[in-house]
Amino acid sequence: MFDITNEIYTDADKAREHLEAIHWPHGPICPHCRNANPDRITKLEGKSTRPGVYKCNECRQPFTVTVGTVFERSKIGLHKWVLASHLMAASKKGMSAHQLHRMLGVTYKTAWFMAHRIREAMKEDVSSAGPIGGEGKTVEADETYIGKRETPRKPSPQRRGRPYLKSGKTGGAQKRIVVGLVERGGKARMFHLNDATKETVRDVLVRNTDRSSILYTDSSRLYTKTGEEYASHKTTNHARGEYVRYEGAEVVHSNTIESVFSVFKRGMIGVYQHCGEAHLHRYLAEFDFRYNRRAALKVSDAERAEDLLRMARDKRLTYRRIGEARYA
């Protein structure tokens, strides 16, 4: 249960000790040379030394628990970082920078930058995590469109005068494209694409989904050819009002990924209200992080917040880099 009176949210030293317990359960580790020998690491305790500083006797470099994390070189009290991390990890549809600025007692600009650093910590390394799905497992895939592109894409001569979206919708050429994958009962991944074509969607699928999986999509032609590469590919025809189909014990639908998109859109529209296109990939990482550690998987708010603090290591986000657009 969340207790806002806990000292880790009000005292910077207690917050640092909490972070050390998460990152160094067996004692300090030098972030510069990875030395973990306790006999070769000295805690500096002079009157002019700030709390929590250690010196590595191997590489001769001083360090604290925040070095090499998204909290490094921040002038904001560490207890405020820990509280902000918990609030963002526990809020199903997110928490706006304006809300953080009011609750933490920092400026809006500071809260905005803190939120983006925390989203950077939430980002999963998909290359090391490996693909989702597998033999006997089901993966659902779909794409959605949100907001207006800030750099409108000109339609190709082949598409000119034709609707871009499926099911007869128009105007998709000027919307931001998100492709989502979810393993039933498992994890989700969402990606911001610059263009939705059979080639770009296939690239996302084959890099992130085990091809021995069963693939369920709607009837979009984006998946027709790629679906042949999977153990099985079945579709439902939304245009004809078919959203679920029963084939014996098999339940064919893409409603799980639709529900992932639903939470994402409720958060973007109801909480954040506006998101620059260059930052969309970080918001997607935020919603992926919470979904992949949801209550249905027996993960508590406290455990999710600890995971977030743990994932803050080996990630940096400077103000100069924050506006860089990134596509899948």
Side-chain angles (χ1 to χ4, degrees):
M1 183 177 290
F2 176 55
D3 179 10
I4 200 168
T5 64
N6 192 309
E7 290 182 313
I8 64 173
Y9 305 127
T10 58
D11 186 298
D13 289 333
K14 295 295 182 182
R16 176 178 46 76
E17 291 170 8
H18 179 63
L19 209 60
E20 287 178 348
I22 292 172
H23 286 272
W24 300 336
H26 306 296
I29 300 172
C30 175
H32 305 292
C33 68
R34 312 309 297 176
N35 169 40
N37 184 348
D39 297 328
R40 301 293 294 159
I41 293 177
T42 305
K43 186 173 183 179
L44 304 182
E45 298 180 303
K47 289 183 179 180
S48 61
T49 305
R50 68 185 188 279
V53 179
Y54 296 80
K55 184 174 182 181
C56 175
N57 297 323
E58 293 290 341
C59 66
R60 315 290 295 175
Q61 293 289 324
F63 64 91
T64 67
V65 72
T66 62
V67 172
T69 71
V70 297
F71 314 128
E72 183 176 353
R73 300 183 69 179
S74 173
K75 299 294 191 294
I76 303 159
L78 198 51
H79 59 294
K80 294 191 177 185
W81 277 109
V82 172
L83 177 56
S85 297
H86 190 111
L87 292 172
M88 289 188 67
S91 303
K92 185 174 182 179
K93 295 180 178 67
M95 177 162 288
S96 70
H98 269 295
Q99 186 69 32
L100 286 176
H101 128 76
R102 291 192 295 269
M103 295 183 72
L104 301 178
V106 297
T107 65
Y108 169 71
K109 183 177 179 180
T110 296
W112 183 88
F113 190 29
M114 288 177 73
H116 275 297
R117 282 193 178 186
I118 290 169
R119 290 186 190 102
E120 185 72 9
M122 289 174 165
K123 184 175 64 179
E124 181 183 17
D125 183 3
V126 296
S127 58
S128 62
I132 61 175
E135 188 173 354
K137 296 182 179 179
T138 300
V139 173
E140 298 177 19
D142 197 10
E143 75 282 356
T144 191
Y145 302 82
I146 183 170
K148 188 176 181 181
R149 294 176 67 105
E150 293 170 3
T151 53
R153 183 178 68 83
K154 296 179 181 179
S156 63
Q158 294 80 15
R159 301 205 73 94
R160 196 166 290 143
R162 296 168 55 198
Y164 183 78
L165 289 179
K166 58 193 180 194
S167 305
K169 298 177 185 176
T170 58
Q174 307 307 332
K175 286 189 172 286
R176 304 172 191 178
I177 304 158
V178 174
V179 168
L181 311 171
V182 64
E183 178 185 322
R184 286 192 184 173
K187 294 187 174 183
R189 291 178 185 174
M190 291 186 284
F191 304 89
H192 178 204
L193 297 188
N194 188 43
D195 199 7
T197 64
K198 294 177 183 178
E199 292 74 23
T200 57
V201 171
R202 178 191 179 276
D203 183 58
V204 169
L205 274 167
V206 299
R207 282 192 294 111
N208 293 278
T209 309
D210 192 307
R211 278 183 261 196
S212 63
S213 309
I214 300 166
L215 181 65
Y216 290 162
T217 68
D218 57 22
S219 54
S220 170
R221 285 178 289 181
L222 291 172
Y223 309 97
T224 306
K225 190 69 177 175
T226 305
E228 296 174 2
E229 302 180 39
Y230 287 81
S232 173
H233 175 213
K234 297 187 178 180
T235 66
T236 49
N237 193 332
H238 292 181
R240 295 183 178 178
E242 182 189 45
Y243 291 91
V244 61
R245 186 174 68 257
Y246 297 91
E247 296 184 357
E250 200 170 3
V251 186
V252 182
H253 66 74
S254 56
N255 295 339
T256 313
I257 188 61
E258 294 280 5
S259 70
V260 174
F261 286 153
S262 176
V263 173
F264 166 66
K265 287 187 173 182
R266 289 308 93 205
M268 297 306 294
I269 295 168
V271 176
Y272 294 122
Q273 300 180 26
H274 173 75
C275 159
E277 191 168 2
H279 307 306
L280 182 55
H281 65 281
R282 292 196 182 92
Y283 287 90
L284 293 172
E286 175 188 351
F287 282 87
D288 281 348
F289 171 86
R290 283 193 295 264
Y291 182 84
N292 295 340
R293 293 160 182 81
R294 58 194 182 277
L297 296 179
K298 310 300 182 186
V299 180
S300 68
D301 286 350
E303 291 169 330
R304 195 179 307 115
E306 283 196 16
D307 260 4
L308 172 53
L309 294 175
R310 194 174 293 111
M311 290 171 65
R313 182 151 300 281
D314 298 327
K315 294 172 184 173
R316 289 295 312 281
L317 183 64
T318 61
Y319 200 82
R320 183 179 298 177
R321 282 186 49 231
I322 205 165
E324 295 175 354
R326 190 178 305 166
Y327 300 98

